[in-house]
Amino acid sequence: MIVKATRPIYAERAAKLVELTGSFTESIYLQKGDRTADGKSFLGIIALSIYPDDCIEIICDPPNTELKEKILSSGLFASCKS
């Protein structure tokens, strides 16, 4: 799933994202350009330097539709049209 950041993802928001992804048993990865981070790693998410309007691919293995709903309702991301 590809989403667009609505806010910069730094400390507090990265912690919120880790809390959200940590509630799932599946492996979750975030990809920005050619860099990939574990979606359950606070430092990994910080290292991606996610800014507003950045399109991020969220990879869940195996796929989980509930994850998409939670990500979009978190206020951190919106659907990406590109």
Side-chain angles (χ1 to χ4, degrees):
M1 121 181 77
I2 298 177
V3 294
K4 179 175 66 173
T6 57
R7 304 169 179 207
I9 307 297
Y10 296 127
E12 201 173 303
R13 293 182 187 118
K16 180 179 178 181
L17 185 55
V18 168
E19 183 179 336
L20 186 152
T21 56
S23 68
F24 292 87
T25 57
E26 295 86 357
S27 296
I28 300 170
Y29 299 95
L30 278 65
Q31 185 171 6
K32 178 183 173 188
D34 61 349
R35 298 182 331 186
T36 303
D38 183 337
K40 298 178 183 182
S41 166
F42 177 79
L43 291 177
I45 292 171
I46 294 289
L48 287 179
S49 300
I50 301 171
Y51 296 101
D53 296 326
D54 283 349
C55 284
I56 306 296
E57 183 172 7
I58 299 177
I59 304 158
C60 184
D61 185 30
N64 184 321
T65 55
E66 184 183 351
L67 174 66
K68 181 176 183 176
E69 293 169 14
K70 283 194 172 190
I71 291 285
L72 293 176
S73 68
S74 70
L76 300 174
F77 298 97
S79 293
C80 189
K81 302 298 180 203
S82 56

